Amino acid sequence: QVQLVESGGGSVQPGGSLRLSCAASGRTFSSYTMGWFRQAPGKEREFVATISWGGVSTYYADSVKARFTISRDNAKNTVDLQMNSLKPEDTAVYYCARSALPNAFTYAAVIRSDSYDYWGQGTQVTVSS
């Protein structure tokens, strides 16, 4: 059984930064693409960023490109999301997720929530002045 635990959320003013971290259990972390999604109140869950199993490939939603950076440490079983220049519209619960298939990374698939089978409990990010 895989468990994903997010941390690092909180409240920040517009223009500020936060770093989210997701710790994963299990011995096969390095074989799976990992993603970050978010869900704002009253809205559907949306794709934020993803990173391939070896960390070579990344992909971002247009809304966060150039502001957010996803990274992973396979030795520590962690995936992080560095968020800079935060905006009020970034306010949401942020979830990390593990792809359903090992060694898989296609752009059409990694942006879909149904391509991921394990999810964390989420961490709240609030951007407000």
Side-chain angles (χ1 to χ4, degrees):
Q1 185 74 5
V2 174
Q3 288 189 324
L4 304 175
V5 179
E6 301 98 337
S7 61
S11 296
V12 65
Q13 292 186 340
S17 298
L18 282 175
R19 187 176 185 88
L20 306 183
S21 187
C22 173
S25 65
R27 293 176 292 177
T28 59
F29 176 80
S30 62
S31 296
Y32 290 84
T33 289
M34 297 295 294
W36 283 95
F37 287 74
R38 67 187 181 186
Q39 187 166 19
K43 294 187 177 181
E44 293 187 354
R45 190 171 297 188
E46 66 174 2
F47 166 77
V48 176
T50 186
I51 187 167
S52 60
W53 63 95
V56 173
S57 298
T58 59
Y59 190 65
Y60 299 90
D62 287 344
S63 59
V64 307
K65 204 171 292 184
R67 298 188 299 121
F68 291 11
T69 302
I70 189 171
S71 61
R72 68 188 296 161
D73 186 334
N74 286 342
K76 296 181 179 178
N77 279 18
T78 59
V79 57
D80 291 349
L81 185 69
Q82 177 66 42
M83 306 185 296
N84 298 328
S85 302
L86 282 161
K87 305 174 180 180
E89 51 264 44
D90 294 319
T91 295
V93 177
Y94 283 71
Y95 299 89
C96 73
R98 195 198 78 168
S99 63
L101 298 176
N103 305 121
F105 189 94
T106 57
Y107 290 109
V110 294
I111 63 174
R112 296 171 56 93
S113 60
D114 60 3
S115 296
Y116 299 81
D117 58 353
Y118 286 99
W119 294 80
Q121 82 290 348
T123 185
Q124 176 71 46
V125 171
T126 302
V127 185
S128 174
S129 55

